[in-house]
Amino acid sequence: MRFIHIADVHLGAQPDAGPLYSRQRPRELWETFEHVIHVCEEEQTDLLLIAGDLFHRQPLMQELKEVNYLFTGLSHTRVVLIAGNHDYIRSDSYYRTFRWSQNVFPLLEETPEYIEFPELETAVYGLSYHHREITEPLYDDLEPLGKQPFEILLGHGGDER
């Protein structure tokens, strides 16, 4: 199995480091993400694992559509993603209703869930942030369920402190 793991892409971030940097950086973030998608396709990666904060804030519907369009260009790669502390699942989040491409498997629940890929003998576990901060030790008692020979935990860590 071949996979790529990324986190904290922060699409949509607007840095404050000066006018030139501030104008270029948001586009550079998108270009870097597009490069990862290109590598997935070129290398025929089995899984792209995104461990939270794909977006710097609540994604706009248009942004989800743009990301999903990039995912539809993947002929072989399956995408598993969770939301982190910046793009957490608010009650009005577009994450809740967005219809992803068939090769995208979001784990958006507040409690651990998993997706199985029997052809890869792999299960991916994860949960998404539903608040800006998680203070409970949600991963401490998490045990693999033995669903597949290979089991991956996709987690996002950290908070504002």
Side-chain angles (χ1 to χ4, degrees), residues 31-51:
E31 288 170 358
T32 300
F33 180 66
E34 290 168 1
H35 179 71
V36 169
I37 299 298
H38 175 76
V39 170
C40 285
E41 183 62 16
E42 188 175 272
E43 299 291 327
Q44 292 292 287
T45 307
D46 295 309
L47 294 172
L48 172 58
L49 306 171
I50 304 175

Side-chain angles (χ1 to χ4, degrees), residues 85-156:
N85 61 309
H86 281 89
D87 60 352
Y88 64 95
I89 311 293
R90 290 191 332 204
S91 61
D92 62 347
S93 175
Y94 289 120
Y95 271 135
R96 291 182 179 272
T97 57
F98 190 75
R99 292 186 46 93
W100 294 97
S101 173
Q102 290 181 335
N103 65 324
V104 180
F105 304 89
L107 301 176
L108 300 179
E109 296 299 319
E110 195 170 9
T111 55
E113 59 180 327
Y114 65 92
I115 182 75
E116 289 185 70
F117 301 100
E119 66 283 1
L120 300 174
E121 298 184 317
T122 300
V124 180
Y125 298 77
L127 60 92
S128 285
Y129 275 61
H130 280 238
H131 307 281
R132 192 90 161 133
E133 185 177 6
I134 296 176
T135 57
E136 302 82 32
L138 298 178
Y139 297 116
D140 285 4
D141 296 323
L142 193 58
E143 294 279 336
L145 300 175
K147 296 291 183 180
Q148 294 293 332
F150 304 104
E151 297 181 304
I152 298 170
L153 173 61
L154 192 57
H156 184 81

Side-chain angles (χ1 to χ4, degrees), residues 9-13 15 20-36:
V9 178
H10 288 278
L11 297 173
L20 182 59
Y21 179 77
S22 294
R23 277 195 305 271
Q24 291 175 343
R25 191 63 182 145
R27 184 68 230 147
E28 289 172 350
L29 293 171
W30 277 96
E31 288 170 358
T32 300
F33 180 66
E34 290 168 1
H35 179 71
V36 169

Side-chain angles (χ1 to χ4, degrees), residues 26-86:
R27 184 68 230 147
E28 289 172 350
L29 293 171
W30 277 96
E31 288 170 358
T32 300
F33 180 66
E34 290 168 1
H35 179 71
V36 169
I37 299 298
H38 175 76
V39 170
C40 285
E41 183 62 16
E42 188 175 272
E43 299 291 327
Q44 292 292 287
T45 307
D46 295 309
L47 294 172
L48 172 58
L49 306 171
I50 304 175
D53 287 351
L54 177 57
F55 296 95
H56 187 64
R57 52 165 166 61
Q58 291 297 303
L60 303 172
M61 180 60 77
Q62 182 59 37
E63 292 170 323
L64 288 174
K65 288 178 181 178
E66 289 175 35
V67 165
N68 195 51
Y69 176 75
L70 294 172
F71 291 155
T72 63
L74 295 170
S75 62
H76 180 78
T77 305
R78 271 76 38 112
V79 179
V80 182
L81 63 91
I82 62 173
N85 61 309
H86 281 89

